[in-house]
Amino acid sequence: MSRAPNYEFQEWWNKQREKNNVDLFQDKEHHAESAPFLSVDIQGGGDVKGGGGGGGRGGKARSSDPLVEKDRARSARQLSWVVRLKFQQVGAFLAWISNGAVHLVRTANRRISSAGSRSDSSSRLYRAIRAFLIVVILLLGFELLAYFKGWHFSPPVVGSAEVLGMVGVVYARWLEIRAEYLAPPLQGLANVCTFLFIVQSVDRIVLILGCFWIKFRRLKPVASIEYASIGENREVNVEEYPMVLIQIPMCNEREVYQQSIGAVCIMDWPKEKMLVQVLDDSDDVDIQQLIKAEVHKWQQRGVRIIYRHRLIRTGYKAGNLKSAMSCDYVKDYEFVAIFDADFQPTPDFLLKTIPYFEGNDDLALVQARWAFVNKDENLLTRLQNINLSFHFEVEQQVNGWFLNFFGFNGTAGVWRIKALEDSGGWLERTTVEDMDIAVRAHLHGWKFVFVNDVKCLCELPETYEAYKKQQHRWHSGPMQLFRLCFFDILRSKISWVKKANMIFLFFLLRKLILPFYSFTLFCFILPMTMFLPEAELPALVVCYIPGLMSVLSILPAPRSFPFIVPYLLFENTMSVTKFNAMVSGLFRFGSSYEWVVTKKLGRSSETDLIAYEKESEPLMQSATLHRSSSDSGIEELSKLDLSKKSGKTKRNLLFRKELALAFILLTASVRSLLSAQGIHFYFLLFQGISFLVVGLDLIGEQVS
């Protein structure tokens, strides 16, 4: 008995077909692929035959079926669409590459035009480096051609080179010229620089030994008196405290002026025995208003502080200090403490430094050590911390203990005003007025004391551009000063030992010879020895002595040992800046007298201001002041700050000399690879990468 047809199911199936536009034949083909043992053949008469794998004609699709032909046509059309899509993607990628290349070239030109100084000396040095780069590239191409011809293994001679053609004759002549005429002078220059390198290394070892002796014997200057803290709850005799003048020279120091003024104003010293001079050389009216408001705030809190602004801003910092010392009331003060705008002395700074003057009438200067609030901010600040830690822990401490002389650091020091006046006061003839006054005071017989256990917080430059400008000033100024005071040193009445120390060690070895040999040896001689193999530098000079010196330099900062290799490479990278500065200062080029204020970021401003507010509350209560008097100043500061912060953008620059030297060293590393010189290859490779990283401004912060 046949089953009755299910009209409801048939009606539902027809609706689903119309709704989803499903092709039954595609369903059939799909099921046929998933279950090949079933086949369905739809014939013209409507009969349906099903069978297994052994079925007759119903088990195969007819080749003349229009649906199959349609499916094949659709597959071909889809393939053409895929091919077109791939071509469009390739075209878009090539267009993106070309646009990116054009944008990169334009950006590089824009950054190069805005990077670095455009002084004559800088242009001369860059042109020389660029010419050297062209020569090195041409030599590398010539050597590669000779290498692939096998001439590196069997060099042709002039007599037998004619059979090798014109190129062989030229290469044979080149081998003869470089062996007889080029290699000997290069080897002589290499020997001179190697000797200077060894002398400077011996000087550094002697300083390290002196520092070890001081540590082993626990030697340090001793004060003959101790002042009581004013903050203690007991009566003190204010008359026993000498009059101290505190000077804060600054110029457009928007980010750090608050913390420096606040740190000085809360010093533990009798207020009637202390006067603070804020010496503002800012040419920005908004910054002037900010500093005036800050000074007014502390005046309202009972601090003796005054604001000074010069109308004629000549002589940079030296002119600013000279103008401040010409005030009539300065004669009432015995000592002057100087702090740059980013320095934050501790409240007991004067209590720890002024006692050394008691009973030492020939003592002119007490210098404190710098400590850094941002030494772990980035790789650049870590490397600076290594360098400056050695400077203070070793150089300043050893020279101060054994010679009673060192270069004044320009800040975080206390001077006897009588010594300043006896030495001629501040002069505007160089950009290192601090070293200038220290040399003149030493020539007049005054002594210096360095106290390593008294630290003053400050900020390191966090951008390579700022650090480079700072180093340029620090290395061009000493050469200006040496040229000006050389004959004064010879005519002075100090002992010949001190004269020799000042001329040969203080100026020549550490200020002139060091940047000269480091740049010449590692940026010129070493790459040239790869192309002139008849002249050579031993591995002792290339690797072992620099490694030993780096280990010794990092001893005062033992936590920085993981950065010993970057430190070695970065010091060689900075040699181009120091060499350029040394030459410009020695030969009186225009850039030697350029003073650019080191850019600060004020990383510690917020925490310091909170501390200042807490520590200054007793001052406010004792003066019975209202908070509104200082709040108005703070509100004014905030408004002016907000008006300027919106314009700051981050960017990085391109430094031409560093990039050119990077390509020189990398080219020389390729040449050394052909000669299988392992240690030279690795040194040139990593040094070239170091120059490349610095030239692309990838070290430190990138802040406009």
Side-chain angles (χ1 to χ4, degrees):
M1 186 176 182
S2 62
R3 180 180 297 179
N6 192 343
Y7 296 104
E8 295 181 358
F9 176 81
Q10 187 67 32
E11 184 178 359
W12 174 82
W13 178 257
N14 291 335
K15 289 182 179 181
Q16 291 298 321
R17 282 182 55 194
E18 294 174 0
K19 181 178 180 181
N20 298 320
N21 195 18
V22 176
D23 193 345
L24 289 179
F25 299 102
Q26 292 181 0
D27 268 352
K28 180 201 69 168
E29 183 180 0
H30 173 71
H31 288 294
E33 292 175 357
S34 59
F37 55 87
L38 295 176
S39 61
V40 178
D41 188 12
I42 303 177
Q43 298 180 357
D47 297 334
V48 178
K49 296 182 180 179
R57 292 178 301 173
K60 296 182 181 179
R62 298 178 183 178
S63 60
S64 59
D65 196 333
L67 294 177
V68 176
E69 296 294 335
K70 181 180 179 181
D71 185 66
R72 291 178 179 176
R74 181 176 299 173
S75 299
R77 192 181 304 117
Q78 289 175 350
L79 181 61
S80 65
W81 287 345
V82 170
V83 173
R84 290 178 184 177
L85 181 60
K86 293 297 182 182
F87 276 115
Q88 289 179 357
Q89 291 177 348
V90 172
F93 178 74
L94 294 177
W96 178 79
I97 289 291
S98 60
N99 292 335
V102 172
H103 178 71
L104 180 63
V105 172
R106 291 178 178 176
T107 304
N109 290 331
R110 183 172 64 253
R111 291 179 178 176
I112 289 176
S113 64
S114 61
S117 61
R118 289 288 183 176
S119 60
D120 294 336
S121 62
S122 176
S123 299
R124 291 191 188 98
L125 182 60
Y126 174 67
R127 287 198 297 267
I129 295 175
R130 186 175 57 186
F132 184 39
L133 173 61
I134 295 174
V135 171
V136 166
I137 292 176
L138 292 177
L139 289 177
L140 178 62
F142 198 32
E143 294 295 338
L144 286 174
L145 178 62
Y147 180 82
F148 287 114
K149 287 183 175 293
W151 294 341
H152 274 261
F153 307 101
S154 57
V157 295
V158 177
S160 61
E162 297 179 356
V163 297
L164 301 176
M166 180 62 66
V167 179
V169 174
V170 172
Y171 187 72
R173 288 292 182 183
W174 162 246
L175 294 180
E176 187 179 49
I177 291 173
R178 82 182 190 187
E180 295 183 4
Y181 301 102
L182 299 180
L186 182 64
Q187 186 65 60
L189 182 60
N191 294 337
V192 171
C193 290
T194 301
F195 173 75
L196 297 177
F197 184 24
I198 294 175
V199 171
Q200 196 272 336
S201 301
V202 171
D203 173 63
R204 179 152 293 201
I205 292 175
V206 171
L207 290 174
I208 288 288
L209 293 176
C211 183
F212 277 131
W213 179 257
I214 291 174
K215 296 295 184 183
F216 177 73
R217 297 297 300 271
R218 298 182 181 179
L219 303 175
K220 65 178 182 179
V222 179
S224 59
I225 193 175
E226 182 178 354
Y227 292 105
S229 175
I230 302 299
E232 297 178 2
N233 295 324
R234 58 188 178 89
E235 295 293 333
V236 295
N237 186 6
V238 178
E239 298 301 326
E240 296 179 355
Y241 294 78
M243 299 286 287
V244 179
L245 178 67
I246 301 178
Q247 296 177 335
I248 311 177
M250 59 179 62
C251 180
N252 297 326
E253 306 281 3
R254 171 185 295 274
E255 291 80 10
V256 294
Y257 72 93
Q258 281 181 300
Q259 60 196 44
S260 61
I261 295 176
V264 167
C265 288
I266 63 173
M267 275 191 172
D268 194 1
W269 199 258
K271 301 307 174 185
E272 59 271 24
K273 292 286 187 174
M274 182 179 73
L275 175 66
V276 181
Q277 285 182 321
V278 178
L279 311 177
D280 182 25
D281 258 5
S282 303
D283 55 4
D284 191 320
V285 179
D286 289 340
I287 298 179
Q288 294 177 23
Q289 295 300 323
L290 289 169
I291 299 174
K292 284 182 181 179
E294 184 70 14
V295 170
H296 178 71
K297 179 180 71 175
W298 287 102
Q299 285 175 344
Q300 293 295 317
R301 296 180 178 182
V303 178
R304 298 180 68 236
I305 180 172
I306 59 176
Y307 173 85
R308 282 180 53 85
H309 180 76
R310 295 191 298 163
L311 297 178
I312 302 176
R313 299 171 55 251
T314 58
Y316 302 113
K317 181 180 177 181
N320 198 0
L321 294 172
K322 181 179 180 180
S323 174
M325 293 299 294
S326 64
C327 298
D328 293 335
Y329 54 80
V330 173
K331 65 180 183 294
D332 299 328
Y333 293 84
E334 188 176 357
F335 305 104
V336 55
I338 303 172
F339 301 99
D340 283 349
D342 60 316
F343 277 73
Q344 308 157 46
T346 56
D348 59 351
F349 182 88
L350 296 179
L351 295 176
K352 291 183 177 180
T353 54
I354 297 295
Y356 291 98
F357 291 98
E358 187 66 27
N360 296 322
D361 295 335
D362 57 349
L363 181 60
L365 168 68
V366 175
Q367 173 71 61
R369 180 176 177 172
W370 297 0
F372 311 108
V373 296
N374 61 337
K375 63 181 179 180
D376 297 324
E377 191 67 34
N378 53 47
L379 179 60
L380 179 61
T381 58
R382 292 177 185 272
L383 300 179
Q384 292 179 68
N385 178 56
I386 297 173
N387 205 1
L388 290 173
S389 295
F390 181 87
H391 171 70
F392 286 106
E393 186 82 17
V394 180
E395 291 180 347
Q396 298 290 77
Q397 187 171 211
V398 171
N399 290 324
W401 179 259
F402 291 103
L403 299 174
N404 296 121
F405 167 72
F406 48 81
F408 175 46
N409 296 115
T411 177
V414 182
W415 276 90
R416 189 189 298 271
I417 295 180
K418 181 181 178 181
L420 288 176
E421 296 173 348
D422 181 59
S423 305
W426 300 103
L427 298 181
E428 307 169 8
R429 57 181 183 172
T430 69
T431 56
V432 284
E433 75 295 327
D434 46 6
M435 184 181 295
D436 188 0
I437 188 63
V439 169
R440 286 185 283 117
H442 183 59
L443 296 180
H444 282 78
W446 292 96
K447 297 181 179 180
F448 303 161
V449 166
F450 177 77
V451 283
N452 192 48
D453 55 348
V454 178
K455 298 181 180 180
C456 187
L457 291 175
C458 64
E459 181 180 335
L460 292 166
E462 297 183 15
T463 66
Y464 178 70
E465 182 184 19
Y467 180 65
K468 183 178 180 179
K469 292 178 179 179
Q470 181 196 69
Q471 292 299 306
H472 186 277
R473 186 177 77 248
W474 285 5
H475 287 81
S476 65
M479 290 298 97
Q480 305 169 22
L481 181 60
F482 178 67
R483 192 183 64 250
L484 294 172
C485 69
F486 175 73
F487 293 104
D488 294 335
I489 297 174
L490 296 179
R491 291 191 297 262
S492 65
K493 297 181 180 180
I494 61 177
S495 65
W496 282 102
V497 175
K498 292 184 177 181
K499 290 180 182 179
N501 169 72
M502 183 170 289
I503 293 175
F504 294 106
L505 294 181
F506 185 76
F507 278 113
L508 290 181
L509 184 61
R510 298 166 188 166
K511 303 298 189 299
L512 188 148
I513 291 177
L514 177 59
F516 169 76
Y517 87 74
S518 59
F519 174 76
T520 307
L521 193 63
F522 297 110
C523 298
F524 174 73
I525 295 178
L526 180 58
M528 283 303 298
T529 56
M530 299 297 103
F531 298 96
L532 305 177
E534 293 80 6
E536 60 179 6
L537 282 177
L540 187 70
V541 177
V542 176
C543 178
Y544 300 116
I545 295 181
L548 176 62
M549 292 301 103
S550 299
V551 171
L552 295 179
S553 299
I554 213 169
L555 287 178
R559 293 179 57 189
S560 302
F561 261 100
F563 304 96
I564 186 170
V565 174
Y567 171 74
L568 170 62
L569 298 175
F570 182 70
E571 282 300 298
N572 292 336
T573 304
M574 286 302 300
S575 64
V576 59
T577 298
K578 297 176 181 179
F579 176 81
N580 180 45
M582 181 270 293
V583 172
S584 64
L586 189 62
F587 296 101
R588 307 178 66 177
F589 292 131
S591 63
S592 62
Y593 291 93
E594 180 184 9
W595 180 290
V596 180
V597 178
T598 304
K599 179 68 177 176
K600 293 111 181 169
L601 302 180
R603 293 291 188 184
S604 58
S605 299
E606 297 178 0
T607 57
D608 291 335
L609 286 177
I610 295 174
Y612 298 153
E613 291 291 337
K614 291 181 179 179
E615 295 191 40
S616 62
E617 287 179 0
L619 277 175
M620 296 180 58
Q621 295 174 0
S622 62
T624 63
L625 299 174
H626 297 287
R627 289 290 295 184
S628 59
S629 63
S630 62
D631 288 343
S632 60
I634 294 177
E635 291 176 2
E636 183 179 357
L637 295 176
S638 302
K639 292 178 181 178
L640 289 173
D641 277 333
L642 291 175
S643 66
K644 287 288 184 177
K645 286 182 179 178
S646 59
K648 290 187 177 181
T649 57
K650 290 188 176 182
R651 64 190 175 115
N652 56 337
L653 305 174
L654 294 179
F655 298 96
R656 301 181 299 174
K657 293 190 290 293
E658 286 80 356
L659 287 175
L661 285 169
F663 292 124
I664 289 173
L665 294 171
L666 293 175
T667 303
S669 69
V670 175
R671 176 63 181 87
S672 69
L673 188 62
L674 299 179
S675 302
Q677 299 185 21
I679 198 167
H680 294 73
F681 165 73
Y682 289 112
F683 183 87
L684 289 168
L685 176 63
F686 291 126
Q687 191 64 68
I689 294 174
S690 175
F691 268 101
L692 186 63
V693 169
V694 172
L696 295 175
D697 197 13
L698 299 179
I699 184 172
E701 299 290 332
Q702 292 80 41
V703 181
S704 174

